[in-house]
């Protein structure tokens, strides 16, 4: 039975999702060739400045309501006894019924909030149209790594952004093949059905992520409900893995699945799953050394020869499998050639982008080659990211493998010039899986979610006709409403967190009040156990 408070929280999140769904009919990305343009009401609303203003406010309002519902849900997940030192069984554990009820509460919330978003037009990004275009290339008998969207007839009518018209696909052969299946299966149906099928692929990846995050939580004795809350219920997840249907959901879901099977002493299955993740987005190769470490650490005293042998084995299975798959679909090694991101692209908040532009301007001011200076800084950041990953998987190889994954993906994401909100979800998802046990870790999760949610709202503006797009008032209005609304929610959350901390018994270890995914009895300084062994709460290592 759901409590009245939880029913209210569900309703608030559901209203937020319905607001986003409604706004997408006016401001969502609609392909020029879509049959929805023939709906008179749709055309009238999209040509109305007032309707677009309302749609913009519905988007930001819906995201803020989802943010409120998510934070409220998290604060409701405290274990019994967090504030008074007692518990249901007298042994530091919640009763099984209580734990199952908390987990059911989170899963129900995710399902209720995500379902309306399945039917929204693309918002926050229109990459899903590019996915369809890449599937069309392969379905048409063209190599997506040798041909571009502009080689397809009527490519623009299917909603593909101009930036993709002369760009080969940066995705792996497994994902392109999946999109080819989607395109072939929906070829005679409206484009919106193809969009829905593409979205279902991303949602399947999200389901995989949630399922294996839960299984790792059970394996390690973590708080299952809090882990699922962290990885699957946030507004950023709903925005980028459901509405925008980014294939990062499938990639990270496969990585977490592979990690679970590695921890369960199934290294070859783990390597196959990581290989599939590489076949979705090749950046997943970053996870391979960690899988090798887990395999090698089945012997507590493993040395370099064993570790190198395990690295070679998992790499042969994973990378060899992707190469064979690429050859099988007729693209050969083409997928490995077009993987680079142009160095001129970047996110305005990326450290690499900020410093590289500063170096360019300084060099230009000094009469030097500004473009060269910019490239040098970008490459220096990329080299630093790779060096950090190398340090983690060599010098720190005996650390908790889940935290090695967090650190490796964080290094790559933060050192790259392009840091999309869905790239941030690589790190935030793995952070939730690894186990939140410190206040700063919880704050990273919550504050980063709020920041990148606002970037998602403001970065890829609504689909507007040129006459309305020229009005600067629309992005200014929803931008400021989003920033102020997020700031208010974060202040309320911070006050609740501090109040919970003050109410905890004296001498309580510095775990996160209410929201620790690692039980409160976990040692903050315990030594790491073998990487493939279930980690008990009393021996959970601190990052």
């Amino acid at each position: 039975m759901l409590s009245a408070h939880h029913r209210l929280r569900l309703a608030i999140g559901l209203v937020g999702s319905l607001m986003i769904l409604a706004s997408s009919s006016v401001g969502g990305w609609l392909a020029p060739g879509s049959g929805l343009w023939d709906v008179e009401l749709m055309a009238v609303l999209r040509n109305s400045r007032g309707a677009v203003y309302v749609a913009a406010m519905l988007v930001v309002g819906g995201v803020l309501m989802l943010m409120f519902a998510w934070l409220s849900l998290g604060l409701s997940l405290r274990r019994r006894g967090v504030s008074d030192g007692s518990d249901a069984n007298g042994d530091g554990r919640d009763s099984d019924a209580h734990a199952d009820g908390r987990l059911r509460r989170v899963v129900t919330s995710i399902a209720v909030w995500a379902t309306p978003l399945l039917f929204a037009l693309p918002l926050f990004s229109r990459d899903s149209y590019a996915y369809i275009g890449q599937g069309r290339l392969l379905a048409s008998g063209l190599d997506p790594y040798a041909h571009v969207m502009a080689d397809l007839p009527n490519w623009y009518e299917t909603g593909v952004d101009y930036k993709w018209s002369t760009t080969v696909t940066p995705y792996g052969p497994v994902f392109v093949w999946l999109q080819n299946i989607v395109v072939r299966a929906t070829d005679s149906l409206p484009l919106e059905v193809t969009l829905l099928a593409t979205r279902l692929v991303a949602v399947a990846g999200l389901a995989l992520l949630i399922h294996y995050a839960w299984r790792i939580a059970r394996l390690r004795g973590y708080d299952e409900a809090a882990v699922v809350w962290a990885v699957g219920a946030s507004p950023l997840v709903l925005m980028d893995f459901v509405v925008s249907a980014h294939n990062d959901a499938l990639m990270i879901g496969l990585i977490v699945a592979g990690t679970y099977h590695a921890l369960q002493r199934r290294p070859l299955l783990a390597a196959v799953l990581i290989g599939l993740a590489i076949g979705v987005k090749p950046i997943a190769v970053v996870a391979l050394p960690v899988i090798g470490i887990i395999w090698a650490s089945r012997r507590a005293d493993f040395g370099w020869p064993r570790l190198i042998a395990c690295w070679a084995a998992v790499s042969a299975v994973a990378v060899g499998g992707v190469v064979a798959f690429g050859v099988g679909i007729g693209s050969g090694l083409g997928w490995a050639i077009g993987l680079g991101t142009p160095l001129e692209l970047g996110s305005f908040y990326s450290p690499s982008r900020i410093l590289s532009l500063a170096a360019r301007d300084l060099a230009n001011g000094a009469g030097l080659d500004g473009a060269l200076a910019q490239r040098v800084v970008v490459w220096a950041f990329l080299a630093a990211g790779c060096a950090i990953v190398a340090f983690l998987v060599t010098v720190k190889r005996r650390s908790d493998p889940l935290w090695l994954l967090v650190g490796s993906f964080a290094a790559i994401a933060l050192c790259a010039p392009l840091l999309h909100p869905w790239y941030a979800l690589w790190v935030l998802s793995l952070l939730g899986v690894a186990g939140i046990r410190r206040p700063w870790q919880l704050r990273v999760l919550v504050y980063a979610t709020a920041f990148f949610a606002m970037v998602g709202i403001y970065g890829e503006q609504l689909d507007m006709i040129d006459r309305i797009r020229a009005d600067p008032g629309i992005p200014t209005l929803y931008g400021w409403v989003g920033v102020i609304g997020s700031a208010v929610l974060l202040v309320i959350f911070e006050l609740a967190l501090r109040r919970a901390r003050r109410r905890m018994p004296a001498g309580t270890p510095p775990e996160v009040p209410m929201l620790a995914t690692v039980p409160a009895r976990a040692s903050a300084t315990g030594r790491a156990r073998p990487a493939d062994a279930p980690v008990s709460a009393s021996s959970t290592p601190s990052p």
Side-chain angles (χ1 to χ4, degrees):
M1 181 68 69
L2 297 177
S3 69
H5 284 224
H6 185 57
R7 288 197 294 269
L8 177 60
R9 187 184 303 114
L10 272 180
I12 291 173
L14 177 60
V15 170
S17 293
L18 291 173
M19 289 168 65
I20 294 172
L21 172 62
S23 68
S24 74
S25 64
V26 178
W29 292 97
L30 188 60
S34 171
L36 292 179
W37 284 108
D38 296 332
V39 178
E40 184 175 355
L41 178 60
M42 181 83 73
V44 170
L45 290 175
R46 284 178 169 262
N47 281 275
S48 166
R49 189 184 305 270
V52 173
Y53 264 98
V54 171
M57 295 309 300
L58 286 174
V59 170
V60 69
V63 171
L64 289 175
M65 292 184 75
L66 284 170
M67 179 74 72
F68 173 84
W70 177 62
L71 294 176
S72 174
L73 176 62
L75 289 170
S76 76
L77 293 178
R78 69 181 180 90
R79 288 174 171 265
R80 293 181 182 179
V82 138
S83 59
D84 60 8
S86 64
D87 57 77
N89 298 327
D91 62 354
R93 291 180 178 269
D94 291 322
S95 67
D96 290 342
H98 179 60
D100 290 345
R102 295 164 71 254
L103 180 60
R104 190 178 305 112
R105 193 189 313 164
V106 177
V107 173
T108 301
S109 298
I110 295 172
V112 169
W113 299 342
T115 299
L117 301 178
L118 291 174
F119 306 100
L121 289 173
L123 282 164
F124 316 118
S125 167
R126 46 179 158 165
D127 283 359
S128 50
Y129 286 118
Y131 299 163
I132 294 171
Q134 289 149 5
R136 286 185 64 209
L137 281 170
L138 189 58
S140 300
L142 300 176
D143 183 353
Y145 304 104
H147 293 83
V148 296
M149 301 291 181
D151 294 331
L152 289 170
N154 302 319
W155 65 271
Y156 182 69
E157 293 297 303
T158 59
V160 179
D161 191 347
Y162 273 115
K163 68 184 180 183
W164 288 102
S165 63
T166 57
T167 303
V168 296
T169 178
Y171 308 120
V174 172
F175 181 72
V176 173
W177 178 80
L178 285 174
Q179 280 302 132
N180 154 68
I181 298 299
V182 167
V183 168
R184 288 177 181 272
T186 60
D187 182 55
S188 60
L189 300 173
L191 180 61
E192 286 69 33
V193 177
T194 309
L195 272 175
L196 176 60
T198 298
R199 184 169 283 148
L200 291 177
V201 172
V203 170
L206 176 58
L208 196 68
L209 168 61
I210 292 171
H211 175 73
Y212 279 102
W214 166 70
R215 296 192 73 170
I216 289 176
R218 292 197 69 177
L219 178 68
R220 290 193 153 204
Y222 291 176
D223 185 326
E224 299 163 28
V227 168
V228 173
W229 170 83
V231 304
S234 79
L236 187 61
V237 167
L238 297 175
M239 291 166 65
D240 289 332
F241 286 174
V242 180
V243 181
S244 298
H246 282 290
N247 57 10
D248 302 74
L250 184 57
M251 179 196 75
I252 203 70
L254 288 166
I255 289 174
V256 173
T259 303
Y260 170 78
H261 286 290
L263 292 170
Q264 288 288 69
R265 297 175 179 260
R266 304 182 190 116
L268 294 181
L269 176 56
V272 169
L273 290 167
I274 300 299
L276 290 173
I278 295 171
V280 174
K281 296 194 79 167
I283 191 63
V285 73
V286 173
L288 271 181
V290 179
I291 301 301
I293 289 171
I294 297 173
W295 188 0
S297 65
R298 289 169 64 174
R299 296 181 184 173
D301 58 345
F302 71 94
W304 281 108
R306 175 173 171 79
L307 179 57
I308 292 172
C310 291
W311 278 345
V314 296
S315 298
V317 172
V319 179
V322 179
V323 170
F325 192 91
V327 172
I329 66 171
S331 65
L333 293 177
W335 61 272
I337 298 174
L339 301 179
T341 299
L343 299 183
E344 294 76 15
L345 298 179
S347 305
F348 69 89
Y349 45 84
S350 163
S352 170
R353 180 68 168 175
I354 294 170
L355 293 180
S356 66
L357 291 180
R360 181 198 65 185
D361 295 342
L362 287 173
N364 285 335
L368 303 174
D369 188 340
L372 176 61
Q374 181 180 0
R375 287 195 297 271
V376 167
V377 172
V378 170
W379 279 110
F381 266 87
L382 294 175
C386 293
I388 292 171
V389 173
F391 171 79
L392 290 172
V393 300
T394 55
V395 177
K396 294 293 185 180
R397 62 189 180 278
R398 296 186 186 275
S399 300
D400 184 340
L402 294 182
W403 281 99
L404 291 179
L405 278 175
V406 175
S408 297
F409 277 94
I412 295 300
L414 293 175
C415 290
L418 197 58
L419 179 55
H420 289 304
W422 46 98
Y423 294 178
L425 279 173
W426 305 344
V427 183
L428 298 180
S429 298
L430 292 172
L431 175 62
V433 173
I436 296 171
R437 59 177 63 83
R438 297 282 189 174
W440 70 265
Q441 294 162 356
L442 177 62
R443 290 186 174 101
V444 166
L445 173 69
V446 171
Y447 294 172
T449 294
F451 173 79
F452 284 105
M454 291 305 104
V455 169
I457 290 174
Y458 193 78
E460 185 90 20
Q461 294 186 12
L462 304 177
D463 185 12
M464 298 178 282
I465 62 174
D466 291 341
R467 173 177 58 84
I468 298 178
R469 186 178 297 278
D471 183 353
I474 296 175
T476 300
L477 177 63
Y478 69 69
W480 277 110
V481 170
V483 169
I484 294 172
S486 295
V488 170
L489 290 178
L490 291 177
V491 168
I492 294 172
F493 176 78
E494 185 68 29
L495 291 175
L497 207 59
R498 290 174 182 268
R499 184 169 58 251
R501 180 65 189 176
R502 287 196 301 268
R503 291 178 178 176
M504 295 179 75
T508 302
E511 293 84 18
V512 181
M514 291 189 176
L515 285 175
T517 59
V518 176
R521 63 187 184 284
S523 167
T525 57
R527 292 179 59 82
R529 295 180 54 147
D532 63 339
V535 179
S536 67
S538 60
S539 63
T540 304
S542 178

